[in-house]
């Protein structure tokens, strides 16, 4: 199946007289004919359903759809993108370990990596994408367990050189984890370029309608966890009758361990109703992404020549610093454009307050056009140094172009820019 078809059909195939649409199974639990059968499911929790803290048929249909869209062996949904990032790392890292992350990533992820992980005894070493291979290699330590980056960084909009970072990670026997939220599998499939694990905030383009907060972890099945660096996946798990994930589940060891161990213990699983809403978004993901790209290009071309615009970042523009990487890794760009309004922080705020159609909201990838001011909103917690590392300037506006008529969007931007 091609992506457009997978969006509609993957993960759920109704049989004779069953519902056409993925049903909402709003039930915390499942019944069994005998105690013996229940007992056997505790021995092998992937055999059938037990409890909706870690598996539910509605959520599983969505997990299967996303796994197929990314080309992975399995996926696990989480109650937020943050939960997906957290579990993707905790699944292979513990106190005393370290990870390497690109500096240009989502502000919430910076907080998690730099502050909360530190309290948990996990060190994050941030590296710059412009650093040489030698400099990045020097950041690896014997306790390094993963490399992390975003396909299209939010909000810096830089494009990750996935092949390069996969090569560097693999040379040190660790996986590359890619946050593919901004590209979606429609525009980039990181596994094709050597990434091992993909995560998403499904809150963004996958949902698209701004109705559910969610996340997902997808496993490529390609990483060799038996390389000596990841005994937790190989050696007997005392919390599961001494099971060895790599021996029992082979290629799906990572994603099954994430569910059996971490989802069991942390319980950050989405509700069936949220998964149902996410599925509606996924059904039109491919069509919506193509239109975001069209509208995004038109708006970017309008802004780039505007006298009140100091600079613009949109990887779809030929003049963009990330254009070459975008050409290599992306089949299209989303609707997110970062640009600097003349007049710094004050100019940006005046412009934003003058907008009429575009709404001022702490969101991105909404079906409706929206704006936010990273320096004073999403990235407020970051120090000036971290702001620079994340690629954020004080006059920078993050515009998320929606699916309204692009003429209406441009007219709104034009009247607001006039007031700067
Ligand atoms: C929003 C976002 C997250 C966090 O996701 P939530 O669903 O808000 O928890 C992570 N990564 C990226 C790139 C994001 O845009």
């Amino acid at each position: 199946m091609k992506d457009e078809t997978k969006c509609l059909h993957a993960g759920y195939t109704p049989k004779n007289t069953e519902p056409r649409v993925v049903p909402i199974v709003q039930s915390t639990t499942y019944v069994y004919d005998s105690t013996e059968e229940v007992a056997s499911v505790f021995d092998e929790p992937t055999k059938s359903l037990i409890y909706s803290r870690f598996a539910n048929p509605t959520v599983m249909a969505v997990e299967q759809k996303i796994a197929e869209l990314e080309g992975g062996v399995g996926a696990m949904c989480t109650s937020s993108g943050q939960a997906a990032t957290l579990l993707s790392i905790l699944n292979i890292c513990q106190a005393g370990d370290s990870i390497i992350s690109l500096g240009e990533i989502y502000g919430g992820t910076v907080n998690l990596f730099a502050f909360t992980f530190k309290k948990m005894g996990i060190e994050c070493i941030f590296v710059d994408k412009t650093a040489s291979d030698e400099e990045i290699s020097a950041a690896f330590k014997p306790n390094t367990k993963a490399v992390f980056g975003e396909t299209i960084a939010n909000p810096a909009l830089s494009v990750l050189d996935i092949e390069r970072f996969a090569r560097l990670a693999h040379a040190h026997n660790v996986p590359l984890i890619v946050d593919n939220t901004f590209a979606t599998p429609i525009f980039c499939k990181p596994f094709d370029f050597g990434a091992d694990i993909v995560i998403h905030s499904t809150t963004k383009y996958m949902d698209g309608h701004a109705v559910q907060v969610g996340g997902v972890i997808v496993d490529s099945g390609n990483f060799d966890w038996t390389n000596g660096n990841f005994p937790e996946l190989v050696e007997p798990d005392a919390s599961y009758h001494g099971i060895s994930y790599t021996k029992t589940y082979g290629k799906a060891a990572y994603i099954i361990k994430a569910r059996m161990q971490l989802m069991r213990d942390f319980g950050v699983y989405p509700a069936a109703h949220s998964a149902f809403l996410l599925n509606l978004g996924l059904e039109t993901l491919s069509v919506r992404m193509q239109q975001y790209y069209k509208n995004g290009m038109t708006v970017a071309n309008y802004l780039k020549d505007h006298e009140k615009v100091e600079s613009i970042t949109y990887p779809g523009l030929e003049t963009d610093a990330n254009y070459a990487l975008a050409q290599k890794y992306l089949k299209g760009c989303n609707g997110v454009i970062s640009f600097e309004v003349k007049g710094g922080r004050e100019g940006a705020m005046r412009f934003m307050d003058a907008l009429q159609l575009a709404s001022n909201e702490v969101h991105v990838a909404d079906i409706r056009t929206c704006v936010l001011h990273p320096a004073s909103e999403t990235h407020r917690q970051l120090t000036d140094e971290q702001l620079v590392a994340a690629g954020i300037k004080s006059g920078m506006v993050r515009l998320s172009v929606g699916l309204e008529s692009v003429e209406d969007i441009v007219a709104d931007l034009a009247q607001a820019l006039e007031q700067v």
Side-chain angles (χ1 to χ4, degrees):
M1 286 193 281
K2 301 271 190 260
D3 285 347
E4 292 77 1
T5 318
K6 284 181 189 169
C7 282
L8 291 161
H9 294 279
Y12 177 69
T13 312
K15 298 189 198 74
N16 193 32
T17 76
E18 284 180 353
R20 173 60 274 185
V21 177
V22 178
I24 303 175
V25 181
Q26 193 73 35
S27 179
T28 58
T29 190
Y30 309 86
V31 292
Y32 285 86
D33 284 342
S34 71
T35 43
E36 199 188 337
E37 241 187 291
V38 183
S40 78
V41 183
F42 273 91
D43 282 338
E44 239 242 76
T46 52
K47 210 172 84 176
S48 62
L49 296 158
I50 314 178
Y51 191 50
S52 294
R53 193 204 303 135
F54 43 79
N56 166 280
T58 313
V59 186
M60 288 164 88
V62 175
E63 291 170 340
Q64 183 59 30
K65 178 174 285 186
I66 296 173
E68 288 187 34
L69 280 166
E70 286 286 6
V73 293
M76 180 177 78
C77 283
T78 56
S79 54
S80 67
Q82 286 297 102
T85 311
L86 173 72
L87 297 195
S88 74
I89 303 281
L90 287 190
N91 205 28
I92 47 174
C93 250
Q94 57 188 23
D97 287 338
S98 69
I99 59 168
I100 290 174
S101 174
L102 272 293
E104 284 188 352
I105 51 169
Y106 176 64
T109 310
V110 174
N111 282 335
L112 173 67
F113 286 180
F115 300 105
T116 302
F117 271 6
K118 195 172 183 183
K119 289 186 219 163
M120 297 165 77
I122 297 170
E123 181 193 14
C124 180
I125 297 158
F126 290 97
V127 294
D128 194 280
K129 64 175 193 300
T130 58
S132 68
D133 282 6
E134 291 68 33
E135 287 170 304
I136 292 164
S137 291
F140 284 87
K141 303 205 270 186
N143 69 0
T144 302
K145 292 297 159 80
V147 175
F148 186 95
E150 294 178 3
T151 314
I152 305 176
N154 174 13
L157 303 184
S158 53
V159 179
L160 183 68
D161 190 344
I162 303 174
E163 283 181 350
R164 175 175 178 232
F165 282 91
R167 174 169 48 75
L168 288 163
H170 296 160
H172 295 86
N173 293 317
V174 302
L176 174 65
I177 304 178
V178 171
D179 181 337
N180 198 30
T181 299
F182 262 31
T184 82
I186 303 303
F187 285 159
C188 180
K189 296 189 200 300
F191 296 156
D192 292 349
F193 301 104
D196 303 287
I197 306 295
V198 156
I199 62 146
H200 286 271
S201 164
T202 63
T203 317
K204 312 294 164 55
Y205 284 110
M206 282 192 167
D207 167 341
H209 300 75
V211 289
Q212 64 92 50
V213 172
V216 69
I217 305 173
V218 193
D219 183 356
S220 69
N222 293 334
F223 193 80
D224 177 16
W225 304 106
T226 65
N227 68 9
N229 242 347
F230 301 94
E232 250 214 297
L233 279 102
V234 181
E235 282 160 19
D237 177 359
S239 78
Y240 253 120
H241 326 288
I243 205 168
S244 156
Y245 294 100
T246 47
K247 274 195 200 120
T248 311
Y249 300 109
K251 277 183 166 300
Y254 172 94
I255 200 69
I256 289 182
K257 175 179 174 289
R259 190 184 299 272
M260 284 171 59
Q261 230 181 35
L262 299 183
M263 197 54 90
R264 176 199 64 190
D265 297 352
F266 289 101
V268 285
Y269 205 58
H273 188 249
S274 294
F276 176 82
L277 294 171
L278 171 57
N279 190 51
L280 292 183
L282 286 168
E283 289 183 334
T284 59
L285 182 64
S286 183
V287 209
R288 284 188 293 109
M289 292 312 291
Q290 304 303 337
Q291 192 60 35
Y292 281 120
Y293 183 29
K294 262 175 121 174
N295 284 3
M297 280 304 292
T298 306
V299 171
N301 275 308
Y302 167 76
L303 288 174
K304 86 174 187 331
D305 299 324
H306 201 288
E307 53 171 13
K308 301 269 178 74
V309 174
E310 185 77 50
S311 67
I312 177 168
T313 306
Y314 186 68
L317 290 176
E318 267 179 60
T319 48
D320 194 87
N322 285 280
Y323 184 71
L325 285 171
Q327 289 297 107
K328 174 167 180 185
Y329 291 110
L330 308 175
K331 286 199 205 125
C333 292
N334 60 30
V336 185
I337 298 170
S338 288
F339 65 101
E340 239 187 302
V341 177
K342 285 199 175 145
R345 184 180 289 260
E346 204 188 314
M349 289 183 156
R350 191 173 291 202
F351 161 76
M352 286 175 60
D353 289 338
L355 289 165
Q356 287 165 2
L357 178 68
S359 48
N360 202 328
E361 66 188 59
V362 182
H363 197 37
V364 65
D366 191 347
I367 202 160
R368 292 147 289 242
T369 298
C370 59
V371 286
L372 73 72
H373 186 232
S376 64
E377 296 170 9
T378 46
H379 291 65
R380 201 178 175 79
Q381 271 74 27
L382 303 195
T383 62
D384 285 351
E385 262 174 18
Q386 285 172 324
L387 278 178
V388 172
I392 294 155
K393 300 199 178 91
S394 66
M396 181 169 146
V397 173
R398 192 184 65 186
L399 167 67
S400 176
V401 176
L403 300 186
E404 299 93 346
S405 155
V406 77
E407 286 173 37
D408 291 335
I409 299 170
V410 168
D412 189 34
L413 297 172
Q415 66 80 22
L417 281 168
E418 250 170 52
Q419 298 179 46
V420 174

